[in-house]
Amino acid sequence: MDRRNFMAGCAGLALSAKAGAAFAQSGPLTKIVFPFAAGGGGDALCRILGQQLGPLLDRTIIIENRTGGDGLIGIKAVRGANPDGTTILITTGPTMYLLPMVETVPSFSAAKDFMPVSQLARFEFGLVASPTIGAKDFKQLVAWLKANPDKATYGVPSNGTIPHFTGLKLEEALGMKMTRVPYRGSAPIINDLIGGHLPFGVTTIADAIPQHRAGGVRILTVSSAARSPFLPDVPTLKENGVELVADAWYGMWLPAGSPPAFARQLSEAVAKALAQPEVREKLLAIGLIPVGSTPEGLTQELAANTAFWQPIVQASGYKITN
């Protein structure tokens, strides 16, 4: 399979934005490269941070959407940029650790080609059921699946994503084989759940919450380590007896060889920005949970995610061609 839609499950939160916006017209021009299209949650994150970082760093911040190759075009652009502190990468964690795992020949190394700055915000996934199967909780979903093995089908926003591999781990935990159906994003999954054409899916909960509240679908469980702040009444997979934590996050990197002092300064500026109540409010409104970290914290998070998902991805045998 080619790269098309590889990261569709990791950047699908909707919010309108204008491409190329500039913030704080002073100081050296600094570019934040986001390797996905304008209009999603990650793009909004870039613009919200850009508005804060410009004054904190006394720089003019611009946002550049360098799309293509499931994030690879933008990642390569930053990797090859002058490491003078004027080019910054913001992308999803899964882009940085899953893409090299599933490529037949890895195109980049997060550890060798980039300097870590900060983790930024988390977003969550959940198991979302169609109301037509009558499951009001995870146990009832499992009972339905085992009673209807010929209908045990689930949707994921794309192959090669966290929802894809979460589905595989779920099959393993339940001891049953199911049919995975890759979609082009979360929206068509939600539509098929509402229409009763699909029993359940694994997708970002931010995309499902409106229909969950309206009764069009039911979010049965979330895959994060703790209950979602957006759905405090919905238990986690671990609470349901499935030993799996699967969420995702956005992070910030510089090209390898950038000034370490600037990386530290940038990390501290990010922490100040994310601590602002208005920033937190804006991010939570689009389904992002602000976290922040030191450069060392980002490195540790990336290493932990890589160690966790590497054997799962390898066992799946899934690959995409370069």
Side-chain angles (χ1 to χ4, degrees):
M1 176 179 175
D2 61 20
R3 298 185 207 282
R4 186 176 54 190
N5 299 313
F6 171 74
M7 293 306 295
C10 297
L13 307 176
L15 189 75
S16 61
K18 294 182 180 180
F23 309 103
Q25 303 296 323
S26 63
L29 181 67
T30 301
K31 177 169 59 179
I32 293 176
V33 174
F34 182 63
F36 299 104
D43 177 72
L45 170 66
C46 292
R47 294 168 198 284
I48 291 167
L49 281 178
Q51 290 176 324
Q52 299 292 320
L53 293 178
L56 288 171
L57 298 171
D58 191 26
R59 292 177 177 231
T60 297
I61 305 289
I62 65 170
I63 311 300
E64 181 178 318
N65 298 89
R66 291 290 296 271
T67 62
D70 300 300
L72 188 59
I73 299 300
I75 289 171
K76 282 185 172 181
V78 176
R79 182 187 66 184
N82 190 339
D84 59 359
T86 61
T87 305
I88 299 167
L89 173 67
I90 291 180
T91 188
T92 65
T95 310
M96 298 297 275
Y97 62 79
L98 279 186
L99 187 53
M101 289 183 200
V102 301
E103 287 186 299
T104 52
V105 179
S107 300
F108 66 92
S109 166
K112 295 178 180 178
D113 296 328
F114 296 92
M115 176 178 288
V117 175
S118 178
Q119 195 177 25
L120 303 175
R122 291 187 177 276
F123 56 101
E124 305 165 308
F125 301 102
L127 270 60
V128 188
S130 170
T132 59
I133 68 172
K136 299 188 185 304
D137 56 32
F138 178 72
K139 290 182 179 178
Q140 290 183 10
L141 171 65
V142 173
W144 185 90
L145 291 169
K146 293 192 173 181
N148 299 272
D150 58 323
K151 299 178 182 178
T153 300
Y154 63 96
V156 298
S158 178
N159 278 329
T161 58
I162 295 295
H164 170 173
F165 298 115
T166 296
L168 293 181
K169 287 295 290 182
L170 184 64
E171 292 180 41
E172 179 184 311
L174 299 182
M176 64 182 299
K177 181 67 178 175
M178 293 185 278
T179 301
R180 182 184 69 257
V181 180
Y183 284 73
R184 295 191 176 189
S186 296
I189 293 177
I190 303 300
N191 289 337
D192 274 2
L193 292 173
I194 294 170
H197 307 300
L198 185 72
F200 82 101
V202 184
T203 187
T204 51
I205 65 169
D207 292 327
I209 283 175
Q211 282 298 328
H212 170 79
R213 290 174 175 161
V217 300
R218 186 181 291 272
I219 301 173
L220 303 179
T221 184
V222 294
S223 62
S224 44
R227 293 195 181 196
S228 169
F230 310 112
L231 298 166
D233 296 331
V234 177
T236 66
L237 278 173
K238 292 191 74 172
E239 288 179 281
N240 279 302
V242 179
E243 288 297 318
L244 175 65
V245 173
D247 58 7
W249 44 272
Y250 288 98
M252 177 182 286
W253 289 265
L254 294 167
S258 297
F262 177 68
R264 183 69 58 182
Q265 179 189 13
L266 182 55
S267 177
E268 291 171 356
V270 167
K272 289 180 181 178
L274 292 176
Q276 296 297 317
E278 64 271 23
V279 171
R280 297 184 65 84
E281 183 178 352
K282 288 177 181 178
L283 294 179
L284 289 168
I286 57 172
L288 296 178
I289 303 169
V291 287
S293 74
T294 61
E296 294 80 11
L298 178 58
T299 297
Q300 292 168 5
E301 182 74 17
L302 190 66
N305 281 249
T306 301
F308 178 81
W309 289 107
Q310 185 83 58
I312 298 171
V313 173
Q314 287 181 342
S316 75
Y318 181 79
K319 288 289 181 182
I320 59 176
T321 55
N322 291 68

